Amino acid sequence: MKIVIVGGVAGGASAAARARRLNEEAEIIVLERGEYVSFANCGLPYHIGGVIPERQSLILKTPQDFKTRFNIDVRVRHEVLAIDPEQKSVTVKNLTTGEHYTETWDRLLLSTGAAPVVPPLPGLNEPGVFSLRSINDMDAIIAWIKQHDVSHATLVGGGFIGLEVMEALTERGISVTLLEMGDQVMAPVDPEMASALHQEIRRHGVDLRLKTALKQVTRDIAGLSVELSSGEKLRTGMVLLAIGVKPESRLAADAGIATGERGGIRVNAQMQTSVPGIYAVGDAVETQDLVFQSPTLIPLAGPANRQGRIAADNMLMNRGSTYRGSQGTAICKVFSLSIGSCGANEKQLAARGRRYEKVYVHSADHASYYPGAAMISLKLLFDPQDGTILGAQASGQNGVDKRIDVLAVAQRAGMKVADLEHLELTYAPPFNSARDVVNQAGMVATNVLSGDTAICHARDIQQLDPATQCLLDIRNPGELTQFGEYPNALSIPLDTLRENLGRLPKNKEILIGCQSGLRGHVAYRILTAQGFRARNLSGGFKTWQAAMQATPVNPA
């Protein structure tokens, strides 16, 4: 058995190592266009910022490592130019010598990855304009900063790479302007959840420009300048494009291998392409979305590694190993905040006409009486009929990864929101509360499904009809001063609500607002027991405020 693998990062490297563990006799060749294999591309921004001081730390395995430990022939700077499925061969160019040659295969694995999106704008070929995808890109960025004593950088795109590089450059003392064409950064989460990121970014001095696109880059004797969609021009020391990535599927398409509507290589659950004997994994492929059961692109290292293992199983052993769909579980650190998500977001659900409900919980990451407790804000999306978990998002200083990981496992296991309150999670004051944030979200969602509570959301407060509805703020007077007030609300603190029921209009629906939604449920139970029609604002003032600040006006 001879296996040729095109691409040696993440999925390709994982498949090669797994193939050798399964079969000691197979001939395994890895052809990698770049200079490095098995490198930590997710760590590139952190070396730019100095958090990872040693460049060598990012190089996980060398070709010699693969040869010595696994007896795998890894050839760097070898680009595959064409695939011939009928002859079971690939045409290869040695980029060092210029030599062309043919390599045959019994099984072929494509792990060609994804390339940065570079829009057709003037000036993007100017020196000082970069993308970040490889170690060579990282080296070039660091060298440019040092050689030109860069004091200002313009980043284009507010996704994972853009935010991570933004933090890295800021940590180096470089002023940053971040351009985002949409109305929020971090597209996998919803606007009200991204609101905290916008505040954190600006708090660290970054010039965040939402709803602002790059129009062109120009160079003159004084250096680089960028023109924005607003018409404004900015002087800058460098430009970094982080608009996104697109699958590198041209090689497959030219060979007659089927690609999908999203531009990725089509594969089945066994990671087989439309051509027998050819498999594909990683950023180049389209896989099934776990929620919508439709093709999606997930350019993340975790799925790529799992897919590589599955492909090796099936290439060598015909084990029927299957990839079970993508959730897009991810997390990003932005200065002191972390934000993570899994499954579908509200924007996707609404766009596809999928029925859903949502609840918000704001709670400390560990026992509030133990020093250092910090708030976690969690959004849980679920089916309003059967409680199926559709997605989750969380932000906070600590513990976001744990909560999203728990919810990702629960979602994949097919658990419902009613199961979340029964999860037995670790508890000790330094680590957690006796009732974890995930437990709380499950309880709130279950209350909604069971009819123990009725909820409303920020848009309901914004669209309140004074003729038929009354907004009741049950917070204490000190909270109103400290945190701010709801618009046109009747203020009756919760502890005095029973003796002030006469102040409430019986002929109107009462929308209840507190600080986080917890006390609002108590008020809801009191009011409905007395015959009032009521709904509780999920997430309370914290969520209301975040929703109202979701798309702040750019500073002048």
Side-chain angles (χ1 to χ4, degrees):
M1 174 72 74
K2 181 178 180 181
I3 297 173
V4 172
I5 298 173
V6 183
V9 182
S14 175
R18 174 67 171 173
R20 174 57 71 221
R21 289 193 292 267
L22 292 174
N23 189 321
E24 182 62 23
E25 304 304 321
E27 182 182 1
I28 304 172
I29 300 172
V30 177
L31 302 170
E32 168 55 46
R33 179 174 57 188
E35 293 184 26
Y36 303 93
V37 292
S38 192
F39 68 90
N41 52 3
C42 295
L44 300 178
Y46 300 104
H47 180 60
I48 293 174
V51 175
I52 300 174
E54 297 297 327
R55 177 180 180 276
Q56 191 63 29
S57 301
L58 301 175
I59 302 173
L60 306 179
K61 289 285 187 294
T62 66
Q64 186 58 47
D65 293 332
F66 275 97
K67 184 65 177 178
T68 301
R69 179 165 297 180
F70 297 109
N71 191 27
I72 293 173
D73 180 6
V74 174
R75 305 173 190 173
V76 296
R77 290 188 55 76
H78 280 64
E79 181 178 9
V80 174
L81 302 178
I83 301 168
D84 188 335
E86 291 187 4
Q87 298 298 319
K88 288 192 171 184
S89 68
V90 292
T91 302
V92 188
K93 179 180 181 180
N94 184 327
L95 298 178
T96 301
T97 66
E99 172 197 6
H100 288 68
Y101 66 94
T102 298
E103 197 70 63
T104 60
W105 45 269
D106 297 308
R107 297 287 185 271
L108 178 67
L109 175 67
L110 303 179
S111 181
T112 46
V117 172
V118 180
L121 298 175
L124 297 190
N125 291 323
E126 292 286 353
V129 179
F130 302 92
S131 294
L132 179 61
R133 190 69 180 168
S134 68
I135 286 183
N136 287 341
D137 294 336
M138 177 191 72
D139 291 342
I141 290 169
I142 293 174
W144 183 270
I145 291 171
K146 292 179 178 178
Q147 292 168 9
H148 295 83
D149 193 23
V150 172
S151 61
H152 180 274
T154 301
L155 297 183
V156 186
F160 289 95
I161 296 297
L163 294 177
E164 288 166 355
V165 174
M166 170 200 71
E167 179 178 351
L169 295 178
T170 302
E171 294 295 336
R172 290 185 69 121
I174 297 172
S175 296
V176 174
T177 294
L178 176 61
L179 308 179
E180 170 53 54
M181 187 184 299
D183 58 8
Q184 66 168 92
V185 299
M186 192 56 65
V189 305
D190 292 312
E192 76 280 13
M193 298 300 290
S195 175
L197 292 185
H198 298 162
Q199 295 177 52
E200 180 75 358
I201 289 167
R202 288 177 166 136
R203 190 172 69 84
H204 281 80
V206 174
D207 178 18
L208 174 62
R209 306 289 187 100
L210 299 174
K211 298 182 180 179
T212 304
L214 177 67
K215 190 173 180 181
Q216 68 174 346
V217 178
T218 56
R219 172 177 289 280
D220 56 26
I221 192 170
L224 288 173
S225 65
V226 293
E227 183 177 344
L228 312 183
S229 56
S230 62
E232 185 178 357
K233 292 185 178 180
L234 300 176
R235 281 287 177 190
T236 192
M238 64 185 295
V239 177
L240 195 142
L241 305 175
I243 300 169
V245 296
K246 58 183 179 181
E248 291 259 38
S249 56
R250 180 193 55 78
L251 185 66
D254 289 348
I257 299 170
T259 56
E261 293 182 1
R262 295 177 174 271
I265 301 170
R266 285 184 179 172
V267 293
N268 62 17
Q270 288 76 40
M271 308 313 299
Q272 297 168 325
T273 71
S274 61
V275 176
I278 301 180
Y279 296 72
V281 300
D283 296 358
V285 307
E286 294 183 3
T287 55
Q288 286 293 101
D289 182 279
L290 193 69
V291 175
F292 300 112
Q293 295 300 303
S294 59
T296 187
L297 297 169
I298 303 289
L300 296 171
N305 275 279
R306 294 196 301 278
Q307 292 162 12
R309 178 184 175 91
I310 290 165
D313 283 355
N314 295 321
M315 285 191 296
L316 280 161
M317 309 295 289
N318 196 26
R319 286 186 170 180
S321 297
T322 60
Y323 185 70
R324 301 179 184 181
S326 296
Q327 293 166 274
T329 306
I331 191 167
C332 184
K333 174 183 175 294
V334 182
F335 299 114
S336 65
L337 280 183
S338 298
I339 189 158
S341 63
C342 66
N345 59 44
E346 186 175 353
K347 294 172 292 188
Q348 293 169 326
L349 293 167
R352 294 175 183 237
R354 178 72 155 85
R355 290 190 63 190
Y356 68 93
E357 184 54 277
K358 58 185 177 181
V359 294
Y360 300 87
V361 174
H362 306 280
S363 186
D365 65 306
H366 62 252
S368 58
Y369 56 82
Y370 188 87
M375 189 67 65
I376 288 180
S377 295
L378 189 150
K379 178 179 184 178
L380 180 64
L381 293 150
F382 57 95
D383 186 289
Q385 292 183 317
D386 64 11
T388 296
I389 299 169
L390 301 176
Q393 302 161 34
S395 68
Q397 293 183 6
N398 304 304
V400 169
D401 54 342
K402 170 181 175 177
R403 276 67 185 200
I404 290 298
D405 284 345
V406 168
L407 287 164
V409 171
Q411 182 183 41
R412 184 165 291 275
M415 298 174 70
K416 306 296 178 71
V417 292
D419 297 313
L420 298 179
E421 65 176 294
H422 300 291
L423 295 180
E424 191 169 330
L425 305 175
T426 56
Y427 163 59
F431 303 102
N432 208 342
S433 299
R435 182 183 294 175
D436 185 81
V437 180
V438 173
N439 297 136
Q440 294 180 47
M443 292 172 184
V444 175
T446 302
N447 282 341
V448 173
L449 291 177
S450 65
D452 288 339
T453 193
I455 58 173
C456 61
H457 297 293
R459 67 175 179 272
D460 298 307
I461 305 299
Q462 195 171 18
Q463 299 169 2
L464 182 142
D465 178 7
T468 60
Q469 296 173 311
C470 172
L471 178 56
L472 172 64
D473 190 341
I474 61 166
R475 296 175 298 163
N476 297 321
E479 293 177 280
L480 307 186
T481 302
Q482 181 179 358
F483 300 113
E485 300 183 27
Y486 290 104
N488 303 312
L490 173 62
S491 177
I492 303 177
L494 175 61
D495 293 341
T496 67
L497 181 58
R498 288 181 178 88
E499 54 263 38
N500 283 283
L501 294 176
R503 296 175 59 191
L504 295 172
K506 274 278 190 177
N507 62 337
K508 294 184 180 182
E509 181 186 36
I510 310 301
L511 302 185
I512 307 164
C514 65
Q515 188 63 19
S516 66
L518 182 61
R519 285 171 290 172
H521 176 60
V522 178
Y524 170 85
R525 299 302 298 176
I526 294 172
L527 293 179
T528 54
Q530 297 297 322
F532 288 91
R533 292 180 298 112
R535 283 187 289 164
N536 178 33
L537 175 61
S538 183
F541 191 81
K542 289 180 180 295
T543 297
W544 154 258
Q545 189 175 50
M548 295 303 100
Q549 295 174 343
T551 54
V553 178
N554 288 319

